[in-house]
Amino acid sequence: MFTRSELEEAHRLVGRFVPPTPAHDWPLLAEALGTQVIVKHENHAPTGAFKVRGGVTLMHWLKQAHPRLEGVITATRGNHGQSQARAATALGLRAKIVVPHGNSTEKNAAMRAYGAELIEHGADFDAARLEAMCLAEAEPLFPVPPFHRELVRGVATYGLELFLAHPDLDVVYVPVGCGSGICGVIAARDALGLKTEIVGVVSEGAPGVKLSVEAGRLIETETARTFADGVAVRVPVQAAYDIYSEGAARIGAVSDAEIAAAIRLYYSATHNLAEGAGAAALALALQECDRNLGRKVGLILSGGNIDAPLYAEILAGRVPQPG
């Protein structure tokens, strides 16, 4: 997707607003997985998730390509919306964000705090996404899709940081929602000429991406039932599919019980907060311990934005029911 110089340029731009996030090895995680582990802590980024990087590059591009527009409109379950609101407000632009009914109250509050005008619509992300694209026709706002070249270029900077620090990684596990994260990691790997295996992770309750890769065409699901809202997507994105279907070694699926167990392990082993999607990579790595013996494993902890009641339920040993 990008040359190394294009990603380095993006990293310089993103770095003006988003400090590099750490990539740590954790001995208790190594014990649990039986091999060396590096965690890329995007939960330490401003807004608490990797999406913040794409907001920077997207808004920079928007100001140049569409200077007359007043702002952006998009749909989200939270992390993408925080990114867009933060970047738009910083440039004096409007940000109208559509979320589904029943969305995370804490993520909604964070988006409003970053300056977003919030609209609730539909039962899930995909319904909210359709509404956002319809509303965009009536206002001078740029409709930001969940997957856009400039979003991916910004997101790819975390992959660039990870691979420059650890070019010897044998495999990296990446959660997959609409696909900007995994495509960014693929782009960074390819730009640096590395051979690292990249494995995508979805929820068993939202398996559209996995089913699509296995079928060789997009497969939509009727529901996306998982408490891990960052991967609760029914409709895969074609542009992202075109990249990860070729660039990823495979897509694996994990249950909500496995995600909850991974959230608890992140807390006990590292004292880090992980949201559902953020823990999905660790959940699949735990499932695949045997195949990774003797390998250096990378985990993308993509975000730490989890509501307090949900986190308390998980730490108490329970598995939350999807909303």
Side-chain angles (χ1 to χ4, degrees):
M1 292 183 69
F2 308 103
T3 64
R4 178 168 178 165
S5 63
E6 286 175 318
L7 292 188
E8 289 173 342
E9 178 188 23
H11 192 255
R12 287 191 293 271
L13 174 62
V14 170
R16 290 163 48 191
F17 306 93
V18 180
T21 57
H24 289 319
D25 59 337
W26 295 97
L28 289 176
L29 287 184
E31 276 186 23
L33 292 173
T35 196
Q36 185 179 6
V37 184
I38 301 296
V39 178
K40 182 58 169 166
H41 282 283
E42 289 301 286
N43 60 317
H44 291 193
T47 76
F50 77 100
K51 296 280 191 178
V52 68
R53 298 170 181 267
V56 174
T57 47
L58 190 283
M59 289 307 156
H60 183 263
W61 168 84
L62 183 65
K63 289 286 282 188
Q64 295 179 324
H66 302 280
R68 295 180 183 275
L69 290 177
E70 296 178 3
V72 296
I73 183 167
T74 193
T76 188
R77 290 300 301 265
N79 290 338
H80 170 70
Q82 290 180 65
S83 166
Q84 296 302 301
R86 181 179 188 267
T89 300
L91 292 177
L93 299 173
R94 293 171 55 202
K96 183 173 283 191
I97 310 292
V98 185
V99 301
H101 291 290
N103 197 50
S104 159
T105 56
E106 293 178 19
K107 287 181 179 178
N108 286 355
M111 285 184 277
R112 290 190 177 100
Y114 282 118
E117 176 189 344
L118 219 63
I119 298 171
E120 292 184 290
H121 179 87
D124 59 22
F125 165 75
D126 293 286
R129 177 172 63 173
L130 290 175
E131 177 68 5
M133 296 306 104
C134 289
L135 291 174
E137 298 176 4
E139 296 192 61
L141 301 174
F142 181 78
V144 180
F147 189 90
H148 185 282
R149 176 181 169 83
E150 282 303 312
L151 287 176
V152 178
R153 192 166 73 99
V155 166
T157 60
Y158 85 70
L160 185 70
E161 291 172 6
L162 176 62
F163 287 129
L164 287 176
H166 297 278
D168 58 340
L169 285 167
D170 293 299
V171 59
V172 176
Y173 289 87
V174 191
V176 187
C178 288
S180 64
I182 191 171
C183 291
V185 175
I186 291 169
R189 177 200 63 185
D190 292 350
L192 294 173
L194 301 176
K195 302 299 182 184
T196 310
E197 182 180 287
I198 294 172
V199 178
V201 190
V202 300
S203 164
E204 290 178 353
V209 165
K210 185 175 188 292
L211 295 175
S212 297
V213 170
E214 292 170 351
R217 59 182 176 85
L218 291 192
I219 301 291
E220 300 181 10
T221 58
E222 293 185 4
T223 61
R225 289 191 54 77
T226 173
F227 77 83
D229 55 8
V231 294
V233 176
R234 288 189 295 105
V235 183
V237 176
Q238 182 71 56
Y241 167 84
D242 292 341
I243 297 166
Y244 58 66
S245 63
E246 295 292 331
R250 64 186 180 282
I251 308 294
V254 292
S255 68
D256 274 12
E258 288 174 309
I259 292 173
I263 289 173
R264 289 191 287 270
L265 179 57
Y266 263 132
Y267 180 76
S268 63
T270 76
H271 284 174
N272 268 267
L273 215 61
E275 61 186 82
L282 174 57
L284 186 60
L286 288 165
Q287 190 187 111
E288 297 187 347
C289 280
D290 289 347
R291 76 190 300 164
N292 288 322
L293 293 176
R295 307 178 85 195
K296 186 174 180 180
V297 175
L299 303 175
I300 307 303
L301 203 176
S302 57
N305 295 323
I306 183 168
D307 284 9
L310 192 66
Y311 195 56
E313 186 175 0
I314 291 168
L315 291 185
R318 295 188 288 273
V319 180
Q321 293 301 304

